[in-house]
Amino acid sequence: MFLMSVSSASHRDTSTATALRHVLGHLLTPLLMCVGMGMAYLGAFHAPQPHDLRVDVVGSAPAARVLAQTLQDGGDGALDVRTVADRDTAVEALKAQEIFGAYLPGAKPELLVASAASDTSATVVEKVFTDVAARRGAPLEVTDVVPVSEGDPTGQGVFFLLVALSIGSYASVAVIGGAGAVLPLRIRALLAAGMSLVVSGIGAVFAGPLFHLVDTGLGGVWAMAWLYSAGILLIGVGLHTFLKRWTTLGVMVLFVMLNFTSSGGVFRPELQPGFFAALHAFWNGAGFVEGVRSHVYFGGTGLGGHVLVLALWLAGGAALIGVAALAEAGRRRDAHGTPAGREVPAGTERDPREDVATGRAEGRPDDRAEGTDGDAEEEMAEAVAV
């Protein structure tokens, strides 16, 4: 009896230690998320400062050139100031997203902005030229030549739409990768494609009939939402073959930490540190946000480049699915005792009892043997917690 008690206590101690190591291993994920989110969000947003913010001073008189040069020299790199001949030229530059503001000096000074390009950038420009006008003892009149829609008064609705699309996409990756690990990769890829249609459709409902974030061009918004969502889903499903339960952290780094911060939805790159400003040029979130702005507010100016960014991310996802398919095929060959690069002879059939014994079935990836239902549930729980 005494020996049985000692054995039982030893077994409980071993089980407790094993469970504790298991929990501590999983706690590493939220700690890494904490560090990553803090570094990304605080690094990108905590102290926005303008640099090379392009503005114009309207006028060809010497006084206009002197004012432009004074602002350029006194801005310490914050502003990129030039002069243009007339108001119409400045308006066209705003509509082409070449500048963020244009100042018309005089007895009744006027500032032209395009808040649809970025409300925060327009606010910074307004602050600069309000001070300029105040030093000359005149109130500043602000004219918004490209305003946002009535349903998006802050101009950040497109950014929050990006957040919704991202969450729907990368959370689906965890479900497809975890609960769907027993499925062939081609089925998982089809599920990803189907979910991208659903997620983008939900996004279109948010943008149009539900919250009226956009007044026109809803079809184009849906198309870009689909490109964006499909890219995330295919990349995530492809990565799951290699990262397993670390996939959630991986897609969070790609599509939250680096993505939201560089999208331009809160601050454009002219107000951000150089690292995030550089990502803005080719990251998929920036492609979506700037693409929607271009399509809805600026007559398609620069739209092709933004759509190309989204298409390249989608192509990258498709390529990653192909690489994952090759990797899983290689694992199956190794598990079945067939050397890589050599096919099973035609007409040769495997004993299905061997598949039952190893936990694999023909046409199914080896992931089923590698993971349990508990692992899949833990992975999905981590994704939902995010």
Side-chain angles (χ1 to χ4, degrees), residues 331-350:
R331 292 174 188 173
R332 285 196 299 272
R333 284 194 297 267
D334 292 343
H336 292 164
T338 304
R342 194 181 75 193
E343 296 296 330
V344 176
T348 301
E349 296 184 1
R350 291 183 52 81

Side-chain angles (χ1 to χ4, degrees), residues 28-45 159 166 170 228 248-263 272 275-276 279 283-284 386:
L28 181 61
T29 299
L31 289 177
L32 290 174
M33 289 178 180
C34 176
V35 172
M37 294 290 280
M39 293 289 291
Y41 274 74
L42 293 175
F45 296 149
F159 171 73
S166 302
Y170 75 70
Y228 175 75
T248 297
L249 180 61
V251 295
M252 277 202 67
V253 171
L254 289 174
F255 304 120
V256 177
M257 298 176 190
L258 299 180
N259 190 29
F260 295 171
T261 51
S262 65
S263 68
Q272 291 190 290
F275 173 73
F276 296 99
L279 292 182
W283 220 255
N284 61 341
V386 171

Side-chain angles (χ1 to χ4, degrees), residues 361-383:
E362 291 293 341
R364 292 188 177 183
D366 291 339
D367 296 347
R368 189 174 77 168
E370 297 175 4
T372 64
D373 289 341
D375 292 333
E377 289 177 3
E378 287 175 355
E379 181 179 347
M380 286 187 287
E382 288 180 2

Side-chain angles (χ1 to χ4, degrees), residues 7-210:
S7 176
S8 178
S10 176
H11 177 73
R12 285 197 300 270
D13 291 343
T14 302
S15 299
T16 300
T18 302
L20 183 59
R21 285 195 299 270
H22 182 72
V23 171
L24 291 176
H26 279 273
L27 284 175
L28 181 61
T29 299
L31 289 177
L32 290 174
M33 289 178 180
C34 176
V35 172
M37 294 290 280
M39 293 289 291
Y41 274 74
L42 293 175
F45 296 149
H46 86 288
Q49 294 291 333
H51 53 86
D52 298 317
L53 192 64
R54 180 79 167 81
V55 295
D56 284 345
V57 174
V58 179
S60 54
R65 292 195 291 271
V66 169
L67 174 59
Q69 191 62 52
T70 300
L71 290 170
Q72 180 75 39
D73 295 340
D76 193 25
L79 301 177
D80 179 9
V81 190
R82 305 176 193 179
T83 58
V84 294
D86 52 48
R87 189 180 192 276
D88 290 342
T89 302
V91 169
E92 289 304 313
L94 281 166
K95 291 182 177 180
Q97 300 189 77
E98 295 173 355
I99 62 174
F100 295 94
Y103 180 70
L104 288 77
K108 295 182 178 180
E110 180 184 14
L111 176 66
L112 308 177
V113 296
S115 63
S118 171
D119 184 69
T120 51
S121 296
T123 300
V124 170
V125 171
E126 184 176 343
K127 181 179 180 181
V128 169
F129 286 103
T130 296
D131 293 342
V132 170
R135 288 197 293 269
R136 286 160 173 75
L140 180 67
E141 178 184 355
V142 179
T143 302
D144 193 348
V145 299
V146 188
V148 295
S149 67
E150 292 184 3
D152 186 18
T154 67
Q156 295 185 6
V158 174
F159 171 73
F160 292 112
L161 177 61
L162 173 79
V163 173
L165 293 171
S166 302
I167 292 174
S169 300
Y170 75 70
S172 298
V173 167
V175 175
I176 294 171
V182 297
L183 298 172
L185 182 59
R186 65 180 182 277
I187 301 299
R188 282 177 275 151
L190 288 174
L191 286 172
M195 280 302 299
S196 70
L197 291 172
V198 175
V199 170
S200 60
I202 293 172
V205 172
F206 285 161
L210 190 56

